[in-house]
């Protein structure tokens, strides 16, 4: 049986060819997008914040920013970073700093919930025998309510509709209910760090189970797939497998990335 995740399913939806390279052929690539790199450094920093709090130590904002900067320069390799955004690498670094500042100043003293898990590494058993990865950024509870929290460093504000229909949050909420009780109240929270706002959602058990059924159907589609064809879209400019894709063997000479038929 296979352990699936939201990232894995999204990869198949975006491009079966890239999915085949990553998950079937197990081809690793050194490349990373600047957006994903920045997001990882922010996640690390906020994980440090709550880990230290669990050890009765509150980091100052200055300490967290210093940690973020150190991690950035330790991990940054310009040869492996894909930057196809309107922001330079330095500007992306500053955006991450602002995300941390916004969160710190709004959430201090960080007692909104009792933390039960950080960057969890668990799985939800699916009806088809496969499992679904449960990696929650911040998981906790307060007054009988469980909170599934996801940090977002994206440059666009997520809508309430997106939160209400987000597959990842719903699958995580289902994991909470099956582990702690089907009648438990679970709130799903997106911390939109760049905008210093939260988007919250709460879904009924039947809706969560319907989401699971859709995941199982998509897994069946993946496991029956015979042709892993490239699927071009606006996401191609950020694909870490672009250098291997038959659609881009010969790069265009101008800024036109050649979207269309392969």
């Amino acid at each position: 049986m296979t352990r699936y995740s939201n990232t894995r399913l999204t990869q198949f939806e975006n491009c079966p060819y890239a999915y085949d390279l990553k998950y079937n052929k197990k081809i690793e690539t050194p490349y990373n997008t600047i957006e994903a790199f920045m997001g990882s450094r922010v996640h690390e920093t906020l994980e440090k914040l709550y880990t230290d709090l669990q050890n009765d130590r509150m980091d100052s904002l200055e300490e967290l920013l210093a940690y973020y900067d150190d991690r950035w320069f330790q991990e940054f390799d310009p040869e492996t970073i894909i930057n196809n955004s309107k922001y330079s690498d330095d500007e992306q670094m500053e955006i991450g700093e602002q995300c941390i500042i916004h969160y710190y100043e709004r959430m201090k003293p960080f007692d909104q919930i009792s933390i039960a898990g950080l960057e969890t590494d668990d799985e939800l058993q699916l009806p088809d025998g496969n499992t679904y990865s449960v990696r929650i950024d911040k998981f906790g509870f307060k007054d009988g309510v469980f909170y599934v929290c996801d940090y977002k460093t994206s440059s666009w504000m997520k809508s309430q509709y997106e939160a209400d229909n987000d597959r990842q949050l719903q699958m995580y909420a289902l994991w909470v209910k099956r582990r702690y009780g089907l009648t438990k109240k679970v709130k799903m929270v997106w911390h939109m760090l760049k905008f210093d706002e939260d988007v919250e959602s709460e879904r009924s058990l039947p809706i969560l189970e319907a989401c699971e059924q859709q995941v199982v159907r998509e897994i069946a589609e993946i496991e029956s797939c015979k042709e892993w064809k490239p699927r071009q879209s606006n996401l191609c400019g950020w694909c870490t497998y672009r250098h291997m894709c038959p659609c881009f063997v010969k790069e265009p000479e101008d800024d036109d990335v050649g979207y269309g038929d392969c």
Side-chain angles (χ1 to χ4, degrees), residues 38 48 58 96 112 164 173 215 221:
M38 181 267 285
K48 169 180 166 54
M58 182 181 291
Q112 289 80 12
D164 290 342
V215 166
E221 180 183 354

Side-chain angles (χ1 to χ4, degrees), residues 3-215:
R3 183 170 178 167
Y4 286 88
S5 67
N6 188 65
T7 299
R8 185 167 182 152
L9 296 180
T10 300
Q11 181 68 85
F12 179 77
E13 293 161 358
N14 291 340
C15 180
Y17 180 80
Y19 179 99
D20 184 46
L21 293 178
K22 182 175 178 64
Y23 295 105
N24 295 334
K25 295 184 170 63
K26 309 294 185 184
I27 297 176
E28 298 294 332
T29 172
Y31 297 106
N32 196 3
T33 67
I34 188 62
E35 294 88 354
F37 179 84
M38 181 267 285
S40 294
R41 303 292 78 80
V42 171
H43 278 68
E44 288 174 347
T45 304
L46 296 181
E47 182 181 7
K48 169 180 166 54
L49 167 65
Y50 283 101
T51 299
D52 288 347
L53 283 168
Q54 289 178 319
N55 293 318
D56 298 321
R57 183 182 187 280
M58 182 181 291
D59 296 316
S60 69
L61 178 57
E62 292 72 20
E63 288 173 320
L64 287 180
L65 291 175
Y67 176 84
Y68 170 83
D69 290 349
D70 287 344
R71 290 295 298 149
W72 184 283
F73 291 116
Q74 286 172 8
E75 296 295 326
F76 189 82
D77 181 356
E79 296 299 318
T80 64
I81 294 295
I82 299 172
N83 190 348
N84 196 28
S85 74
K86 62 181 179 180
Y87 300 108
S88 68
D89 297 341
D90 288 342
E91 287 172 327
Q92 287 285 1
M93 180 181 178
E94 292 175 3
I95 290 172
E97 291 173 338
Q98 287 301 312
C99 287
I100 295 167
I101 292 170
H102 288 160
Y103 185 86
Y104 190 95
E105 293 181 340
R106 180 162 65 95
M107 304 296 281
K108 188 179 178 180
F110 315 107
D111 57 357
Q112 289 80 12
I113 60 175
S114 297
I115 300 297
L118 298 170
E119 299 295 337
T120 62
D121 185 13
D122 215 311
E123 56 188 25
L124 173 66
Q125 188 68 44
L126 299 175
D128 63 356
N130 291 301
T131 61
Y132 190 92
S133 177
V134 177
R135 192 166 181 83
I136 304 173
D137 294 341
K138 184 180 67 177
F139 170 54
F141 56 90
K142 184 176 183 179
D143 299 331
V145 179
F146 286 89
Y147 291 84
V148 172
C149 305
D150 192 21
Y151 303 125
K152 292 294 184 184
T153 57
S154 53
S155 59
W156 64 93
M157 183 66 189
K158 295 282 189 177
S159 68
Q160 186 64 54
Y161 175 83
E162 289 175 294
D164 290 342
N165 291 276
D166 184 70
R167 175 175 59 207
Q168 178 171 271
L169 291 182
Q170 291 186 84
M171 292 297 284
Y172 291 173
L174 183 60
W175 172 81
V176 174
K177 284 182 174 289
R178 288 189 177 158
R179 170 161 291 199
Y180 296 97
L182 296 179
T183 61
K184 295 295 184 180
K185 185 174 183 180
V186 183
K187 286 192 175 183
M188 301 171 288
V189 183
W190 270 340
H191 294 303
M192 302 301 302
L193 302 180
K194 185 176 179 180
F195 300 92
D196 199 20
E197 294 183 26
D198 293 341
V199 183
E200 292 190 6
S201 180
E202 185 179 346
R203 315 301 288 159
S204 67
L205 181 59
I207 291 178
L208 299 181
E209 291 176 334
C211 179
E212 179 186 43
Q213 292 168 9
Q214 178 57 41
V215 166

